[in-house]
Amino acid sequence: MTVEVPLFVQVPGEVGRLLGPGVRNEAPVWWTEVRAAGAVTEAGRLAGSVAGRLVSVLGGATWPADAAHTGVVSLPSAIDSSPDEAPIGVDFLTDRAAVVIQDRPLVAATTWLTDLVQAVLASGRELQILTPPGTRLTLPTRTLMTGLPARWVVRDPARGYYDGLTGAVLHWHAGRFAPVPTADGRASMADAFETRAARRGEQQLHLTIRTTHPADDSLVLGGALEAAWRTLTGDAPAGWSTAEPVNLPWSPRQLTELARARAEKSAPTWLVAVGAPDRPAIGTCRVVRTAAGVEEQITVAFGYTAGQAPVRSLSELAQALAARHRLTSMLACLREARADLTTPPHREPPLVPLSFTLGCEAVRLVGPAVAESAPTRPVRLGPTARPALHYPLGDGTDPASWHRLKQLDDHLRAPR
């Protein structure tokens, strides 16, 4: 059993966002997590006793409420726990995978999880997160898992297990959860994944933004992320942090200081930003030093109810990013999905491209004549001598927009 370092959460709505309605969610509040090893029967009661005693002495609340108590827990003299080389919090470790059990409404990108990802990948194993069918992923967790040897394993009461992101039926094979092959070699799809509740017109607007800045002492990061937030919500992000829950009030100066300190150690910086509780918005930003300068790799999503996504504001945002925040590129996509921006373990409609923007320097590198002669006619943004180019691709409902984006990408990358 482990007790996480307490975190002082100063951002309104974070506790409710991660633990659900009905949980104490006013800020500021101290947040700590008590984790029990799944392989030890008594560990859960021991964790509940520690949590209960903390609350009895310090006040506050626990989640789940019925897990806390102040009873004495007797432990056996010999405990068959995880191997010594297992990272903290891993429930099952094999030569091929590290399995962690997360029985909670949302799997968030906590400090524990981000550290665990690094430790497991460094060991050459695949991280597998096992959850009940009602669990969802936060956008930072979904982003963190993208492109990594990681799998979301969902318990399916009808068929055992399936992949919460792809729908493939899984079984335990050779030391890890792996897809069950069919006769033709393809993965079998779980019925539970194909069942999708109607979202009643809820939408998600996704932006993928890249910026490149000169590496100088006057640089302040976070401007592009804040510009996207202000253009699409009318306000700045509510808070930022290097993990969830997001605990610090929004401060470009502070996040820049952190990124600069980490860059001195040749380490990238990954951070999370959230919006106000009544304006669903969440994003991640990876800051990395490259030969071109300091790059911000931003993924941000905004949630809307029926018909509210402000797609007409995208050209305004593109112009602001190109003029004031050294935009390299921006891809905007829309889809029908949960306005709370979480990922459920069932099929969702795919993202559909709305527009693509090429920043001024990127246009120069490609060649203005080439960039303006693309199959999709661009809109010029900024000065005539050094324009950025904004390519409209569709209204977010036509899947053919992906074909137009592919044509545009092939045209811009073609050797000349």
Side-chain angles (χ1 to χ4, degrees):
M1 188 212 72
T2 62
V3 181
E4 299 292 317
V5 174
L7 189 68
F8 190 48
V9 179
Q10 305 173 63
V11 180
E14 272 299 272
V15 176
R17 180 177 72 87
L18 297 180
L19 298 182
V23 179
R24 174 185 175 184
N25 60 6
E26 66 269 19
V29 63
W30 286 99
W31 169 298
T32 189
E33 299 207 7
V34 184
R35 300 182 180 277
V40 181
T41 303
E42 295 84 356
R45 279 190 48 77
L46 181 60
S49 180
V50 171
R53 289 164 187 263
L54 284 174
V55 171
S56 67
V57 173
L58 302 174
T62 59
W63 185 94
D66 58 359
H69 63 95
T70 56
V72 175
V73 179
S74 299
L75 298 178
S77 57
I79 296 177
D80 183 16
S81 60
S82 298
D84 292 339
E85 70 271 17
I88 293 176
V90 170
D91 293 289
F92 304 102
L93 186 72
T94 71
D95 291 339
R96 302 188 65 182
V99 181
V100 295
I101 301 172
Q102 292 285 279
D103 189 358
R104 58 199 307 165
L106 283 180
V107 178
T110 61
T111 300
W112 166 78
L113 183 60
T114 57
D115 289 347
L116 183 63
V117 168
Q118 297 180 26
V120 171
L121 297 186
S123 72
R125 296 178 172 89
E126 179 180 7
L127 176 65
Q128 300 195 328
I129 301 174
L130 176 60
T131 76
T135 295
R136 290 167 281 123
L137 306 184
T138 66
L139 179 66
T141 301
R142 178 69 181 90
T143 303
L144 192 66
M145 295 178 67
T146 302
L148 298 179
R151 188 184 296 279
W152 179 16
V153 182
V154 180
R155 290 194 296 269
D156 180 4
R159 298 192 62 178
Y161 302 93
Y162 70 96
D163 190 307
L165 298 178
T166 69
V169 176
L170 304 175
H171 66 155
W172 185 257
H173 176 71
R176 66 185 182 119
F177 285 101
V180 177
T182 58
D184 59 3
R186 299 181 181 181
S188 176
M189 300 299 290
D191 293 338
F193 182 76
E194 299 292 350
T195 302
R196 181 172 65 88
R199 296 310 307 167
R200 299 178 182 177
E202 292 178 71
Q203 292 180 323
Q204 295 178 1
L205 177 60
H206 287 245
L207 305 179
T208 303
I209 301 170
R210 300 288 183 269
T211 67
T212 306
H213 308 270
D216 58 47
D217 292 339
S218 63
L219 174 61
V220 177
L221 299 169
L225 186 60
E226 182 172 330
W229 232 280
R230 289 191 181 278
T231 300
L232 296 170
T233 72
D235 205 351
W240 77 283
S241 185
T242 55
E244 294 179 283
V246 174
N247 67 312
L248 300 171
W250 176 248
S251 173
R253 178 185 59 80
Q254 290 182 349
L255 69 87
T256 300
E257 290 174 354
L258 173 66
R260 183 173 286 118
R262 291 184 60 80
E264 292 174 355
K265 301 177 182 179
S266 300
T269 298
W270 187 80
L271 60 91
V272 183
V274 296
D278 60 339
R279 296 277 185 91
I282 190 166
T284 64
C285 178
R286 186 172 185 268
V287 181
V288 60
R289 180 72 181 269
T290 68
V294 179
E295 295 187 7
E296 293 176 294
Q297 303 165 359
I298 300 167
T299 300
V300 60
F302 303 87
Y304 303 94
T305 54
Q308 291 186 351
V311 296
R312 294 183 179 180
S313 299
L314 292 175
S315 59
E316 174 191 344
L317 172 60
Q319 185 159 354
L321 294 177
R324 296 189 291 275
H325 301 287
R326 296 185 176 273
L327 177 70
T328 299
S329 66
M330 179 178 75
L331 174 65
C333 297
L334 188 69
R335 71 170 175 176
E336 179 186 331
R338 298 179 64 101
D340 64 10
L341 304 174
T342 62
T343 300
H346 56 63
R347 186 181 299 280
E348 290 189 302
L351 292 166
V352 178
L354 288 164
S355 63
F356 179 76
T357 306
L358 209 57
C360 307
E361 180 62 15
V363 171
R364 186 189 69 80
L365 292 175
V366 170
V370 172
E372 295 200 49
S373 64
T376 299
R377 177 173 295 182
V379 177
R380 284 188 167 207
L381 304 175
T384 303
R386 190 174 164 78
L389 296 178
H390 181 68
Y391 302 87
L393 298 171
D395 62 1
T397 63
D398 183 6
S401 296
W402 280 112
H403 177 66
R404 289 188 281 273
L405 179 61
K406 178 66 165 56
Q407 284 184 315
L408 174 61
D409 186 64
D410 291 344
H411 175 81
L412 296 175
R413 293 179 183 272
R416 292 173 174 83

